[in-house]
Amino acid sequence: MDASMLGMWTFLITEVLFFGGMFASYAVYRNMYPDAFASTSKFMDVILGGTNTAVLICSSLTMVLAVRAAQLSKRRHLILFLILTMIFGTIFLVIKGFEYHSKWVEHLVPGFDFQYDEPRYQHNAQILFFLYFAMTGMHALHMIVGLGLLTYLLVQAKRRIFNENYFAPVEMIGLYWHFVDVVWIFLFPLLYLIGHRR
């Protein structure tokens, strides 16, 4: 367990550095082009973003309960809470898919077809949307990986692998899932709330 914990925290530190670079880029460009970034806030759907935040908080709760069930050798509870966590994760990705689709329809995906209703901010706004897709896209990729890991745990739980003497994989994957949730807790205010206006 100690070796697993050390390895997972080492991995999560590298993930913090990875996302930290993205957050630093966001901070630099937002400081350079505050008006352009503020003008993009009307395209950020706070309701969907807030719903996704609530969904992920619920998924963290069910993940904690899954870890506790594994520690207590409660196999049925473990399976139930893993499935609930996966359902919440899937709901998050579906909502994010709707958001991406709306940006595509509005021609707000950076590239040759990018269109913005305020010409003076055309170029600088594109930087924000690039960061939006890069940061939320990378977060969504981590969610997909997390769902794959939860599927592995579910299969192992059905095989009765976990008990009070062996639950390290559940706890380690739980740490990963919580990390992904915490990243979103930072992304939500940065991309959706700061400077928001209708």
Side-chain angles (χ1 to χ4, degrees):
M1 176 62 90
D2 290 341
S4 298
M5 192 69 74
L6 176 62
M8 178 52 73
W9 278 110
T10 302
F11 169 72
L12 291 180
I13 288 170
T14 65
E15 289 285 283
V16 168
L17 294 173
F18 175 76
F19 278 102
M22 290 187 173
F23 283 116
S25 298
Y26 173 89
V28 168
Y29 281 109
R30 183 159 199 118
N31 187 54
M32 290 174 64
Y33 311 114
D35 295 335
F37 273 42
S39 75
T40 64
S41 65
K42 62 186 174 184
F43 297 103
M44 300 300 170
D45 194 320
V46 174
I47 293 174
L48 289 182
T51 301
N52 261 350
T53 303
V55 166
L56 282 192
I57 290 171
C58 290
S59 79
S60 270
L61 172 62
T62 55
M63 191 67 231
V64 167
L65 294 173
V67 172
R68 186 61 180 156
Q71 292 171 340
L72 298 175
S73 297
K74 294 185 176 179
R75 176 175 165 270
R76 291 181 62 187
H77 289 111
L78 171 59
I79 291 172
L80 171 64
F81 290 128
L82 287 174
I83 290 173
L84 286 174
T85 305
M86 293 173 70
I87 288 171
F88 285 127
T90 303
I91 291 171
F92 176 92
L93 291 173
V94 168
I95 292 174
K96 184 52 64 182
F98 280 113
E99 279 194 82
Y100 283 171
H101 179 261
S102 69
K103 300 292 185 292
W104 176 267
V105 170
E106 295 170 353
H107 300 281
L108 295 175
V109 178
F112 294 113
D113 196 34
F114 184 81
Q115 297 174 18
Y116 200 63
D117 58 4
E118 296 184 59
R120 62 187 174 141
Y121 296 140
Q122 172 87 10
H123 175 69
N124 297 337
Q126 197 167 179
I127 297 173
L128 180 279
F129 283 106
F130 170 79
L131 289 171
Y132 166 82
F133 281 105
M135 296 169 82
T136 60
M138 191 55 63
H139 177 266
L141 179 61
H142 280 71
M143 288 289 297
I144 292 168
V145 170
L147 287 174
L149 293 171
L150 290 174
T151 302
Y152 163 77
L153 289 181
L154 186 60
V155 170
Q156 295 296 85
K158 288 185 175 181
R159 292 177 178 172
R160 303 177 184 272
I161 298 296
F162 305 121
N163 54 56
E164 72 273 10
N165 298 314
Y166 180 68
F167 54 86
V170 182
E171 189 160 346
M172 297 309 106
I173 292 172
L175 281 174
Y176 173 85
W177 190 263
H178 296 316
F179 168 79
V180 175
D181 289 356
V182 168
V183 169
W184 178 258
I185 296 299
F186 283 96
L187 285 176
F188 176 59
L190 286 178
L191 297 173
Y192 292 81
L193 299 181
I194 295 177
H196 179 72
R197 67 187 190 195
R198 286 287 180 186

